[in-house]
Amino acid sequence: MAVLSEEQTMLRDMAREWTSNESPVGAWRKVRDADEAAGYDPSVYGEMAGMGWTGIIIPEAYGGSDFGWLSLGLVIEETAKTLTASPLAASAVAASAIILGGSEAQKARFLPRIASGELVATLAVDEGPRHDPAAIAARVEGGRLSGVKAFVAEGDTAGLFVVAAVDGLYLVEEGEGVARSRRHLADFRSHAEVRFTGAAAEKLTEGGDGLLDAALDRAAILASAEMLGMAGQAFETTLAYLKQRVQFGQVLATFQALQHRMAGLYGDIEVMRSAVEAGLQALDGGGDTRQAASLAKAKANEVGNLMSRELIQLHGGIGMTDEYDAGFYLKRMRVLEQMWGTAAWHRDRFARLGGY
């Protein structure tokens, strides 16, 4: 586990207390039942902005706190424990692309609005059913972008898109030339198809050839932090159930076979934590973050998949019901496993980066 500063410990504890008291899983159930395209409660995101979470990775000069990626990861992990839905991660990733590649004018125009929570931004990359940043067909001609992005997280409400085109990343605001279609995925969050037809676009020119990779690394690591929070909560929920459920006249937790399974899962989650926190610290340290990102996402995908399956199986029949919360964790986990690369995709990338 990463060594936290006093300020980071306070931030984590504040996030933990807020999610437990103000945004329990029941709040997500209400959002799900409302079936709105946004997939989150705007008033909840407003509270997050009020606590400064929307500006954690944004420099102070642009209205943020510049508190770093590990700090943001702590908040993402805590909110994930109760499945709190928000565009916090998507906006942070989009903001990071502007920080890394934007001109001074672009930073001054967009970052303060993202930091205040006024503007929801997101990264639009993939054009097919799977994550494949090498297969980009969107083009810009004469300052106008055309193309289709298949699954854009928070795309239903985003006011600003950071769009991957064949020759780099571009900023596109909602409005003329931007059309979005709602997609229904298992997790009931926003994953819109966004069609750009001659939309006005501004290129991010300062980030070099590796700007898209850098933004995707941040997206993958934040998704891993969310999966870490869900896996940890799934473990705690399962352990509590095994300690109170009586079967054949015995508490389930007294069966040695189940003790071994839970011990194995605990160890897996701790390894997952090490990989995710190493990724967040790599972002804070600067430099090449590609292998750290792929290691974090590959491990998060593997352990998240296992823990969510065990969550359902060890709860028996009730784990399958909609009335019980367990299914929400499995559904969100499956979607996150596909976002920004599967475990196999990241293992292959890690190996290639290592020269294999």
Side-chain angles (χ1 to χ4, degrees):
M1 180 177 290
V3 177
L4 305 181
S5 66
E6 184 177 347
E7 291 79 9
Q8 287 171 327
T9 301
M10 291 174 62
L11 177 66
R12 181 202 61 192
D13 293 346
M14 180 180 72
R16 183 174 296 171
E17 182 177 357
W18 181 83
T19 52
S20 297
N21 296 334
E22 307 299 331
S23 185
V25 179
W28 160 245
R29 185 180 290 277
K30 291 179 181 177
V31 171
R32 192 281 305 264
D33 292 345
D35 197 23
E36 299 285 348
Y40 70 94
D41 183 342
S43 67
V44 169
Y45 193 54
E47 290 184 41
M48 291 181 168
M51 291 184 284
W53 297 352
T54 50
I56 288 178
I57 57 95
I58 294 177
E60 293 180 17
Y62 304 106
S65 60
D66 203 9
F67 206 9
W69 289 94
L70 179 58
S71 301
L72 178 60
L74 294 171
V75 172
I76 294 289
E77 179 185 346
E78 292 302 324
T79 56
K81 290 179 179 177
T82 60
L83 299 169
T84 300
S86 82
L88 183 62
S91 272
V93 171
S96 73
I98 299 172
I99 293 168
L100 294 170
S103 65
E104 184 56 40
Q106 289 167 332
K107 292 176 184 176
R109 182 179 176 188
F110 295 113
L111 292 180
R113 295 171 62 201
I114 296 173
S116 70
E118 172 195 345
L119 177 65
V120 171
T122 189
L123 186 64
V125 177
D126 291 316
E127 301 178 0
R130 296 180 179 81
H131 178 61
D132 189 359
I136 301 296
R139 293 182 176 277
V140 176
E141 294 181 357
R144 300 283 173 175
L145 187 145
S146 295
V148 180
K149 298 299 179 182
F151 297 94
V152 180
E154 316 301 343
D156 291 290
T157 57
L160 177 67
F161 299 88
V162 178
V163 186
V166 292
D167 62 338
L169 291 181
Y170 286 81
L171 298 177
V172 178
E173 293 186 81
E174 65 177 340
E176 185 179 354
V178 179
R180 35 190 155 204
S181 302
R182 184 182 180 188
R183 284 190 178 274
H184 292 271
L185 299 189
D187 64 350
F188 271 84
R189 298 283 291 272
S190 168
H191 304 279
E193 177 187 277
V194 183
R195 184 176 295 275
F196 301 95
T197 309
E202 295 181 22
K203 190 172 186 180
L204 296 175
T205 60
E206 305 298 323
D209 295 337
L211 181 58
L212 175 58
D213 275 352
L216 289 173
D217 286 347
R218 284 150 178 78
I221 292 171
L222 282 190
S224 301
E226 181 177 350
M227 298 169 82
L228 175 62
M230 289 195 297
Q233 185 60 41
F235 178 87
E236 295 298 333
T237 301
T238 304
L239 184 62
Y241 177 75
L242 295 181
K243 286 182 176 178
Q244 60 86 26
R245 172 67 172 168
V246 176
Q247 197 84 30
F248 308 116
Q250 280 188 273
V251 175
L252 286 179
T254 62
F255 289 102
Q256 194 173 47
L258 296 182
Q259 292 173 358
H260 288 171
R261 284 171 71 170
M262 294 304 291
L265 288 167
Y266 179 83
D268 288 338
I269 292 172
E270 287 304 298
V271 173
M272 176 186 184
R273 174 177 296 283
S274 295
V276 173
E277 291 182 346
L280 292 164
Q281 290 175 320
L283 294 180
D284 285 331
D288 190 343
T289 59
R290 294 175 294 173
Q291 281 195 306
S294 283
L295 176 62
K297 188 61 164 54
K299 182 53 66 177
N301 281 358
E302 292 168 358
V303 178
N305 184 288
L306 174 62
M307 186 62 242
S308 56
R309 283 190 284 112
E310 293 287 58
L311 168 69
I312 298 295
Q313 187 175 41
L314 291 173
H315 275 82
I318 65 169
M320 300 290 291
T321 63
D322 186 71
E323 290 76 11
Y324 205 70
D325 296 335
F328 292 154
Y329 289 84
L330 182 139
K331 292 171 183 175
R332 178 63 175 164
M333 197 74 84
R334 291 296 173 273
V335 172
L336 288 174
E337 287 173 41
Q338 299 301 316
M339 286 178 65
W340 316 123
T342 62
W345 191 91
H346 278 287
R347 281 197 295 266
D348 179 69
R349 182 188 187 224
F350 185 94
R352 283 188 285 104
L353 290 170
Y356 292 98

